[in-house]
Amino acid sequence: KATAGRCLVMEPDPVSPQLADGEFSPVFRLLTIFAYGTYADYLAEAANLPPLTEAQKNKLRHLSVVTLAAKIKCIPYSVLLEQLQLKNVRQLEDLVIEAVYADVLRGSLDQRNQRLEVDYSIGRDIRREELSTITRTLQEWCQGCEVVLSGIEEQVSRANQHKEQQLALKQQIESEVANLKKTIKVTTAAAAAATSQDPEQHLTELREPAPGTNQRQASKKTSKAKGLRGSAKIWSKSN
């Protein structure tokens, strides 16, 4: 049955009423326990069901752990011992290790805190009455996906708008810088034209000293030299 246009749940074919109510009804009931039930369910109806071998009991115990793991990921040893009807922790840990090697579940035994931490477990068959719950769960999941997708699209749109704004701002700054360079160039040319001088010549004149400056500096040096020579003559006469 299609749900939300995307998720698909297939309903199983109806079970034959003759098999459920006929002479093989105990075997059929045992089959349904292996499909959906737990070891505790078997013990509750053991008087009306075929006996199980030790290997079959352990198989049903493995499936019972899977059922518990679907509800909680950290299962206390006390719950497992009660549900699986095991005598001690050693038997429980051996059973869990067997289940791990059989790839029924993956996890770790926390002996310090006396619990089984499940990371993964296989799936079990589902009852017909559970289909409505699964359908509702899948519908909620699809709706959640739509919400997440809408949020992502909104974030992408905002990011694109921000990018466009930054590009426009960058172009505006580059345009203002270019205009400023043009303005400085025009101003410099206008100032040079006002003094009827070439800009390069104007800069050269600023670097060169004004006329007469060198002559004054030379006369000062000459007078200082004459003074030094005169003082030398006076010193020699006195000696």
Side-chain angles (χ1 to χ4, degrees), residues 122-170:
I122 63 173
R124 299 197 65 182
D125 296 334
I126 57 174
R127 303 175 188 270
R128 182 178 298 277
E129 55 268 22
E130 294 174 346
L131 289 175
S132 59
T133 302
I134 295 174
T135 302
R136 183 173 62 254
T137 301
L138 291 174
Q139 287 176 338
E140 293 174 355
W141 178 77
C142 290
Q143 292 173 357
C145 290
E146 293 290 348
V147 172
V148 172
L149 180 60
S150 177
I152 292 174
E153 290 176 348
E154 183 179 355
Q155 293 295 328
V156 170
S157 177
R158 290 180 180 176
N160 289 334
Q161 291 179 359
H162 180 71
K163 179 181 178 181
E164 292 176 356
Q165 292 174 357
Q166 293 300 314
L167 287 175
L169 179 61
K170 179 181 178 181

Side-chain angles (χ1 to χ4, degrees), residues 73-220:
K73 296 302 180 183
C74 294
I75 311 172
Y77 278 7
S78 58
V79 174
L80 291 169
L81 289 171
E82 179 183 356
Q83 292 293 320
L84 305 179
Q85 289 297 300
L86 295 173
K87 296 179 181 180
N88 52 54
V89 173
R90 176 62 183 272
Q91 290 182 346
L92 173 61
E93 291 180 345
D94 289 344
L95 180 75
V96 172
I97 293 172
E98 289 177 4
V100 171
Y101 277 108
D103 205 24
V104 174
L105 57 88
R106 300 192 195 107
S108 59
L109 293 168
D110 187 351
Q111 296 178 331
R112 180 178 182 180
N113 296 312
Q114 294 287 290
R115 65 185 183 183
L116 168 63
E117 298 179 356
V118 181
D119 299 326
Y120 158 83
S121 63
I122 63 173
R124 299 197 65 182
D125 296 334
I126 57 174
R127 303 175 188 270
R128 182 178 298 277
E129 55 268 22
E130 294 174 346
L131 289 175
S132 59
T133 302
I134 295 174
T135 302
R136 183 173 62 254
T137 301
L138 291 174
Q139 287 176 338
E140 293 174 355
W141 178 77
C142 290
Q143 292 173 357
C145 290
E146 293 290 348
V147 172
V148 172
L149 180 60
S150 177
I152 292 174
E153 290 176 348
E154 183 179 355
Q155 293 295 328
V156 170
S157 177
R158 290 180 180 176
N160 289 334
Q161 291 179 359
H162 180 71
K163 179 181 178 181
E164 292 176 356
Q165 292 174 357
Q166 293 300 314
L167 287 175
L169 179 61
K170 179 181 178 181
Q171 292 176 355
Q172 180 183 355
I173 293 175
E174 290 177 349
S175 177
E176 292 178 355
V177 170
N179 292 334
L180 184 60
K181 289 181 178 180
K182 291 179 181 179
T183 303
I184 294 173
K185 186 175 181 180
V186 171
T187 304
T188 304
T195 57
S196 299
Q197 292 180 345
D198 183 70
E200 295 295 335
Q201 182 180 357
H202 181 65
L203 292 175
T204 302
E205 292 179 354
L206 290 176
R207 296 192 190 100
E208 294 179 353
T213 304
N214 292 336
Q215 295 178 358
R216 287 195 298 271
Q217 291 178 349
S219 61
K220 288 181 180 180

